[in-house]
Amino acid sequence: MTPDQNEEYRAFRQEVRRFCEQNVSDALRQRVRSGLRATPEGFRQWQGILFHQGWGAPTWPKEHGGTGWSPVQIHIFEQETAAADAPPQFHQGLELIGPILFTYGTEEQKARYLPGILSGQDWWCQGYSEPQAGSDLAGLRTRAVRDGDHYVVTGQKLWTSYAHEANRMFCLVRTSDESRKQDGISLLLIDMDTPGITVRPFQTLDEQAHVTEVFLDAVRVPVSQLVGEEGRGWSYGKVLLDRERALTATLGARLSRLLEQVREAARKASDGSRNLYQNPVFRAKLAQLEIEVLAIEQMGLRMLADNVAGVDTGPRGSMLKLRWSELLQQTTQLWVETLGYDASRFAPAGSAPGSVPLDQSGPMSAYLHSRVTSIYGGSNEIQRNIIARRALGL
Ligand SMILES: Cc1cc2nc3c(=O)[nH]c(=O)nc-3n(C[C@H](O)[C@H](O)[C@H](O)COP(=O)(O)OP(=O)(O)OC[C@H]3O[C@@H](n4cnc5c(N)ncnc54)[C@H](O)[C@@H]3O)c2cc1C
């Protein structure tokens, strides 16, 4: 049975569709539709709108301010928001640190931080990676030394997405040197306006500045900002990384929307002698992608069901993340191919907004940005290692 054979789900789909029609602004819609990521302001605006509707945290339990939706409802919500060209919600607060806080945080931490995540008032960044400590994350060297009621944190983080927009960071730090290097790591919550923090954005291939280096120079963090127990940060971090990969479970719906945009572009394009959409080679590529996207959507739905039921989804998050990144890269590549030379009219860094029409600059930007998906959250080589070890027992 598909969700749409169920009357309750059909009504829910209509409710989300109506809500999107009334609430996704034209500016946001146009940007997302053209393949560009929402601006930080756009992400905040959308989160605020969802929060006012009571839909700020689709995947959270009701007791913590979430919707308590079933996996099928979450899936329908993703499908409808994607179809309406609403951006995905920014995930670092909502899907990464939020659930860690309501699982392991103190009552004070929950009361202080969860409302800001839900409303979009707080923007969290993830301070994990460092120079020489990406795939080998346990090799991190940023140190936190206890001094009375504070930790004094010194070190450098790298690749910290949107740290220049964030007012809070969840940060893995070394609190002791143990023989097993995973054992001396703790998870701290740091306010980004604490003296001693310097953030330096740098540009990536897609000509955007969304990643940064963060320097921490004797930053004083109250001990009350420690999550869970000192030295247990690695186990919380691992839960969080599994969750980051599992997140892609909801992104299958967005791949479908992207394919639709490729289809629309092909209907307007020519292969020299006929409409590109009629070209059998193009259609074969599109059909292959459509089949694989349908398959990953089903896999995502199954995984979402296990997540919500609290079942350990283990290496399936890695399988999904790996496949999703490959499909996103193939789909955006086909989009660029469909546009041909027009796709190369890509806005150079610093150019004025609108200097290249959005429907031309977006696909190339989306294609270039998609490269990152096989690196961040753990590179695809690492995901393959996890699958080999945990799923295949190699
Ligand atoms: C755009 C972007 C945004 C990011 N955002 C964040 C963020 O917000 N917060 C954060 O903490 N981090 C973030 N990251 C960092 C990301 O998680 C790391 O880049 C990633 O974990 C890889 O680490 P590395 O870059 O140090 O590469 P390395 O670990 O040096 O790896 C280099 C290459 O070697 C391969 N490799 C390494 N070890 C093995 C192995 N054992 N077996 C097989 N192959 C291996 C890797 O797969 C990779 O291809 C971001 C990265 C990017 C590019």
Side-chain angles (χ1 to χ4, degrees):
M1 185 165 117
T2 68
D4 288 292
Q5 287 168 302
N6 174 314
E7 202 174 316
E8 218 175 292
Y9 288 143
R10 268 205 314 271
F12 179 71
R13 187 182 290 288
Q14 287 310 323
E15 186 187 355
V16 180
R17 192 169 293 176
R18 252 193 325 275
F19 169 79
C20 288
E21 278 164 9
Q22 289 162 5
N23 289 285
V24 185
S25 71
D26 282 345
L28 209 51
R29 195 186 294 271
Q30 201 192 0
R31 204 177 155 85
V32 173
R33 191 178 168 73
S34 64
L36 294 169
R37 296 195 93 200
T39 58
E41 209 25 66
F43 278 123
R44 281 198 187 95
Q45 187 198 359
W46 181 232
Q47 182 62 31
I49 289 170
L50 291 174
F51 171 66
H52 284 298
Q53 175 74 5
W55 293 353
T59 64
W60 289 15
K62 256 198 156 125
E63 60 190 292
H64 299 300
T67 56
W69 283 340
S70 71
V72 174
Q73 283 177 301
I74 296 170
H75 184 68
I76 291 173
F77 173 78
E78 282 304 321
Q79 283 184 320
E80 288 303 319
T81 48
D85 297 313
Q89 288 167 274
F90 196 77
H91 63 283
Q92 293 196 335
L94 205 56
E95 295 296 342
L96 301 187
I97 192 63
I100 293 292
L101 286 178
F102 63 63
T103 311
Y104 301 105
T106 60
E107 289 308 315
E108 192 193 332
Q109 287 169 345
K110 288 183 220 174
R112 178 160 183 219
Y113 295 124
L114 296 183
I117 294 175
L118 283 164
S119 67
Q121 211 175 349
D122 282 344
W123 187 299
W124 286 85
C125 62
Q126 178 185 24
Y128 278 23
S129 309
E130 299 182 6
Q132 313 304 324
S135 303
D136 179 24
L137 184 58
L140 64 87
R141 284 178 299 185
T142 292
R143 190 162 283 278
V145 179
R146 184 81 185 253
D147 177 24
D149 289 342
H150 286 80
Y151 288 103
V152 180
V153 183
T154 302
Q156 185 198 336
K157 295 290 169 183
L158 183 62
W159 298 112
T160 322
S161 296
Y162 294 99
H164 55 313
E165 292 290 337
N167 59 335
R168 317 236 188 244
M169 171 164 63
F170 52 99
C171 186
L172 285 180
V173 294
R174 180 158 301 289
T175 36
S176 65
D177 296 299
E178 309 289 333
S179 51
R180 210 178 77 98
K181 57 188 179 180
Q182 287 86 350
D183 288 339
I185 293 175
S186 301
L187 181 60
L188 288 184
L189 311 174
I190 303 182
D191 287 349
M192 291 300 281
D193 60 1
T194 317
I197 300 180
T198 308
V199 178
R200 231 187 260 159
F202 58 91
Q203 240 155 38
T204 44
L205 195 64
D206 58 344
E207 305 265 327
Q208 311 282 330
H210 43 73
V211 278
T212 67
E213 296 176 288
V214 178
F215 299 88
L216 301 122
D217 181 13
V219 177
R220 292 185 72 79
V221 181
V223 170
S224 59
Q225 303 290 79
L226 173 75
V227 179
E229 289 170 49
E230 186 180 289
R232 299 271 331 268
W234 185 253
S235 41
Y236 313 137
K238 263 197 339 201
V239 171
L240 199 144
L241 283 178
D242 275 347
R243 198 167 165 110
E244 184 170 4
R245 286 164 205 148
L247 243 188
T248 44
T250 57
L251 293 176
R254 292 196 173 260
L255 280 175
S256 298
R257 175 69 188 130
L258 207 55
L259 275 175
E260 217 172 289
Q261 285 166 262
V262 177
R263 220 175 291 128
E264 278 171 31
R267 287 203 176 97
K268 291 187 206 151
S270 158
D271 70 357
S273 56
R274 73 192 126 179
N275 184 280
L276 181 61
Y277 194 61
Q278 306 301 328
N279 179 312
V281 177
F282 174 84
R283 285 185 81 103
K285 277 191 201 171
L286 190 66
Q288 185 62 36
L289 279 172
E290 280 170 345
I291 292 164
E292 296 190 33
V293 165
L294 270 179
I296 200 177
E297 258 193 281
Q298 290 307 311
M299 188 176 171
L301 196 51
R302 270 211 301 272
M303 175 138 157
L304 213 53
D306 284 350
N307 268 342
V308 171
V311 174
D312 176 14
T313 48
R316 275 192 287 153
S318 295
M319 292 157 79
L320 211 57
K321 196 257 174 182
L322 174 67
R323 200 66 197 114
W324 167 75
S325 66
E326 289 171 345
L327 288 174
L328 181 66
Q329 289 174 358
Q330 288 165 19
T331 307
T332 50
Q333 182 173 335
L334 188 61
W335 200 6
V336 164
E337 278 174 27
T338 303
L339 262 94
Y341 285 118
D342 279 344
S344 65
R345 296 191 62 210
F346 173 53
S351 57
S355 54
V356 175
L358 277 183
D359 62 343
Q360 292 180 5
S361 65
M364 180 62 88
S365 179
Y367 165 74
L368 293 173
H369 186 265
S370 74
R371 303 288 107 191
V372 81
T373 58
S374 47
I375 304 172
Y376 69 11
S379 67
N380 280 6
E381 290 83 0
I382 298 298
Q383 305 312 322
R384 287 193 179 91
N385 284 348
I386 294 172
I387 295 164
R389 235 185 13 256
R390 288 170 65 187
L392 305 174
L394 298 175

